[in-house]
Amino acid sequence: MLYRFILLAVFTLFSHGSFGAIKVGISSTPSNLNPFFSTDSNSQNINRLVHKSLIDFDENMSATCRLCESFRESHKRDKQIITFKLKRNQKFWDGSTITAKDVENSWKYITDETSIKSIFRFAFGRIKQVKIINDYEFELHYDEFKLDNLSNLVLFKIIKLKNPDAPFNGDISNIIGAGDYELIKSEELAVTLKSLRGEYPNLEFKVVKDETTLALKLLNNEIDASVTDMSARKFNWLQENAKNLKFLSVPSSNVVYMNINHSKEQMMDVNIRKALSHLISREAIKKYKFKNNVTLSNSLFSKSFKSMHPDFQIDSYNPELAKKLFEKAGYKKVDGKWQKDGKLFVLDWKSANTKSTVEIAQTIIQDFEKFGINVHLTVQEWGTFMKGVKKSQFDLMIGQWVGFTGPEMLNFVFSSESFPPKGGNRGLYKNPKMDAFLAKAQSEKDELIRNFYYREALKVANDDYSYINLWHPNNLWIYKNCLGGIRVYPNGSFLGLEHIESRCGN
């Protein structure tokens, strides 16, 4: 009997990875694992495993139930109501069943102004009432209709406090969660989660800031999986040299784009904007710079946004077409350089000092200068770069939008009412047609009609070359051959680790 017990213990140890945990590489330390204050990506993603929200996003970037069985939106005059039906088998860590009353309590905690003071209290202060229908049904009553009311609920964790009557001092050990994992250790370079479901292993997130070190740790079996950003070169190198690893390259929901300053006289002509797009050798950059680990973009939305991804053409590298467009805009070539009314066409390109961004800028600039365009590239450290971008101090720059969840992002980046500092329209783009479609979408409560208006706005943005579309970075996840059950979401969510399985050491 003792011999069988020892065998069982050894089997359990190895099936859960080294020392009972799968070691997962991440690139930075989570800044705050308190669900009331988690704002950085790693903190929010780890909290996706530790705490459950009513909804989250699936592989199509559509809202899907986590704690709920179903939900529906309705409207009463200008107010918005979201009705939820909870799943009946959901438990807190202490074994108590989650009911509508717990949702109401969680709302009170997250909107508390005196003790907890959550950073999210303002967003969820829009909820004016949690109306309980019965133990498993309730309504969230919002004071007004907002497109992000539903998507914000991803950050609304349903929790209990061990001592709800005492002042909350920020101690997360006082929080009882409902996730399938419990936080048992948090250090600067490691976070350990205990699996509360016996069939799944513990998870230990290890901070490895240097990607070369991370690659070596993967090769040496010191890290079992990586969910961090890794350069395409290093990813490709590992694919060629590591036989013990599996590789997933999945298009992300993020987008890399070239921003154009529409307030600059030479950029006001759509022919010039279109010509610049046709001077970018996207296919070559994809193949040689990214080793095919990006997906070329035809709009703000990748294929992961099933309801918004358009069928627009991706511009080809076509210097002959660019030449015709420059001539159509009134430019002519003199001594190999484009000019108009005796004034040279010169671009002021600002770039952050990250190595990959500078390399891409230099690659594109080579083609621009070969075509006859003078480009002044200014490379700046991140803080200085962003300060200038927010003041629209550039002709061109390469940017990336991350973390957006739906078509309402169009309001933030293209509305004429979204000029800095109010929003993200840093290229100062303005088009009455765009504003009209966005206004109709923002006030439309029917999702199908609303998305129609957004798709029309997207077409205006594309035809007008409000941005120059570049690519969607791929999420590059790496893990041992003996691991299974891993899924990669477009937004890089760690929910893809929720059902990880290990056959390592069996």
Side-chain angles (χ1 to χ4, degrees):
M1 180 65 71
L2 178 61
Y3 175 74
R4 290 175 62 190
F5 174 78
I6 293 173
L7 279 181
L8 178 61
V10 170
F11 173 82
T12 302
L13 174 66
F14 280 102
S15 66
H16 284 188
S18 302
F19 303 106
I22 301 296
K23 292 180 172 58
V24 182
I26 56 177
S27 60
S28 60
T29 302
S31 65
N32 196 328
L33 290 172
N34 186 322
F36 295 127
F37 299 97
S38 298
T39 55
D40 67 289
S41 176
N42 280 338
S43 295
Q44 288 189 9
N45 268 323
I46 289 175
N47 270 332
R48 274 183 156 99
L49 300 168
V50 174
H51 302 286
K52 283 187 179 179
S53 50
L54 295 168
I55 64 159
D56 213 299
F57 291 96
D58 62 16
E59 287 93 335
N60 294 316
M61 293 304 293
S62 297
T64 186
C65 276
R66 287 204 76 201
L67 280 175
C68 66
E69 181 180 296
S70 63
F71 66 90
R72 59 182 173 84
E73 295 183 73
S74 59
H75 304 87
K76 189 175 182 181
R77 293 183 289 277
D78 292 333
K79 301 186 186 303
Q80 183 177 7
I81 301 171
I82 308 178
T83 303
F84 284 91
K85 181 181 288 187
L86 289 172
K87 294 175 182 177
R88 291 179 175 260
N89 60 345
Q90 298 298 298
K91 307 281 188 182
F92 285 110
W93 297 336
D94 63 3
S96 60
T97 301
I98 298 172
T99 68
K101 185 62 179 176
D102 294 305
V103 176
E104 183 183 37
N105 288 339
S106 297
W107 168 63
K108 290 178 179 178
Y109 299 147
I110 206 167
T111 56
D112 174 78
E113 291 281 355
T114 57
S115 178
I116 297 176
K117 298 181 181 179
S118 168
I119 197 170
F120 306 118
R121 66 188 184 277
F122 305 107
F124 296 114
R126 296 180 189 171
I127 302 173
K128 295 307 175 186
Q129 180 187 11
V130 178
K131 183 178 180 181
I132 297 175
I133 300 171
N134 57 50
D135 281 350
Y136 297 99
E137 293 182 80
F138 61 92
E139 297 173 344
L140 301 182
H141 287 241
Y142 289 83
D143 56 357
E144 61 178 321
F145 170 71
K146 293 280 189 181
L147 290 176
D148 59 355
N149 283 341
L150 180 65
S151 60
N152 279 345
L153 291 176
V154 171
L155 299 171
F156 181 23
K157 307 302 184 187
I158 309 306
I159 59 110
K160 287 175 67 176
L161 295 182
K162 292 179 181 177
N163 190 357
D165 297 324
F168 184 74
N169 62 3
D171 183 3
I172 58 178
S173 66
N174 189 38
I175 297 174
I176 301 172
D180 292 335
Y181 292 84
E182 183 177 0
L183 176 66
I184 59 173
K185 185 174 69 172
S186 178
E187 300 173 337
E188 184 178 356
L189 297 178
V191 174
T192 304
L193 305 185
K194 174 185 176 183
S195 174
L196 301 179
R197 297 177 63 179
E199 66 268 38
Y200 300 119
N202 296 342
L203 298 174
E204 185 176 357
F205 292 93
K206 305 282 286 185
V207 178
V208 186
K209 298 180 181 180
D210 177 71
E211 68 170 19
T212 299
T213 303
L214 175 61
L216 292 174
K217 286 182 177 291
L218 284 162
L219 284 172
N220 294 330
N221 293 314
E222 297 175 54
I223 293 289
D224 303 312
S226 167
V227 295
T228 187
D229 292 334
M230 179 175 283
S231 69
R233 285 183 189 146
K234 196 68 67 179
F235 186 83
N236 187 64
W237 180 83
L238 276 171
Q239 281 183 303
E240 294 174 352
N241 290 278
K243 305 304 180 186
N244 65 321
L245 299 174
K246 289 182 180 179
F247 301 85
L248 292 175
S249 179
V250 177
S252 76
S253 55
N254 302 335
V255 63
V256 175
Y257 61 93
M258 181 179 288
N259 204 350
I260 296 169
N261 191 332
H262 292 260
S263 71
K264 300 297 180 74
E265 183 179 356
Q266 63 190 12
M267 308 303 286
M268 292 179 180
D269 193 321
V270 67
N271 292 298
I272 295 299
R273 303 195 294 269
K274 184 175 181 180
L276 294 178
S277 180
H278 281 286
L279 289 173
I280 299 172
S281 51
R282 292 171 177 79
E283 289 289 352
I285 292 171
K286 174 186 174 183
K287 181 178 180 180
Y288 296 109
K289 292 291 184 181
F290 292 109
K291 308 298 182 182
N292 292 315
N293 284 304
V294 297
T295 302
L296 296 185
S297 169
N298 63 358
S299 82
L300 195 67
F301 302 103
S302 68
K303 289 183 178 179
S304 57
F305 290 94
K306 195 172 183 180
S307 64
M308 288 304 299
H309 181 70
D311 58 357
F312 303 153
Q313 291 269 325
I314 294 173
D315 285 347
S316 61
Y317 177 65
N318 192 337
E320 282 302 312
L321 176 56
K323 177 177 178 291
K324 292 176 182 178
L325 290 165
F326 259 72
E327 291 171 344
K328 188 176 180 180
Y331 285 85
K332 59 182 179 179
K333 221 170 188 181
V334 179
D335 297 329
K337 299 293 183 181
W338 290 97
Q339 60 175 257
K340 184 177 181 180
D341 300 327
K343 185 178 180 181
L344 281 176
F345 187 90
V346 180
L347 291 173
D348 174 26
W349 187 315
K350 296 290 175 61
S351 174
N353 62 352
T354 53
K355 181 181 178 182
S356 59
T357 303
V358 174
E359 286 180 352
I360 295 301
Q362 291 170 336
T363 298
I364 296 174
I365 287 171
Q366 285 179 4
D367 284 326
F368 282 9
E369 293 185 332
K370 181 180 177 182
F371 180 73
I373 297 173
N374 283 349
V375 182
H376 297 318
L377 175 64
T378 304
V379 178
Q380 301 169 321
E381 62 87 21
W382 179 253
T384 303
F385 168 71
M386 282 307 301
K387 185 177 180 180
V389 166
K390 290 177 180 179
K391 293 181 179 179
S392 304
Q393 295 173 343
F394 61 89
D395 291 343
L396 292 178
M397 52 82 69
I398 290 178
Q400 180 173 190
W401 290 121
V402 304
F404 59 96
T405 58
E408 59 270 17
M409 183 66 174
L410 289 169
N411 301 301
F412 184 69
V413 299
F414 292 135
S415 170
S416 63
E417 295 184 1
S418 194
F419 287 0
K422 292 174 62 178
N425 189 349
R426 295 158 184 165
L428 306 178
Y429 172 71
K430 188 173 184 177
N431 186 319
K433 288 183 179 179
M434 170 67 73
D435 289 340
F437 282 125
L438 292 179
K440 289 179 180 179
Q442 282 182 289
S443 61
E444 179 55 58
K445 297 179 175 64
D446 185 297
E447 184 179 11
L448 291 177
I449 299 174
R450 183 168 68 238
N451 283 348
F452 167 78
Y453 290 135
Y454 275 131
R455 284 191 291 270
E456 290 298 303
L458 198 62
K459 187 175 186 302
V460 171
N462 188 71
D463 293 344
D464 216 14
Y465 285 83
S466 52
Y467 276 178
I468 292 178
N469 301 312
L470 295 179
W471 44 78
H472 304 283
N474 285 8
N475 288 322
L476 305 177
W477 283 24
I478 307 169
Y479 57 95
K480 285 183 178 179
N481 289 329
C482 53
L483 298 178
I486 295 176
R487 298 158 65 188
V488 182
Y489 288 78
N491 60 359
S493 167
F494 290 0
L495 284 180
L497 302 173
E498 192 172 35
H499 298 141
I500 193 170
E501 299 170 351
S502 176
R503 296 176 296 278
C504 303
N506 288 7

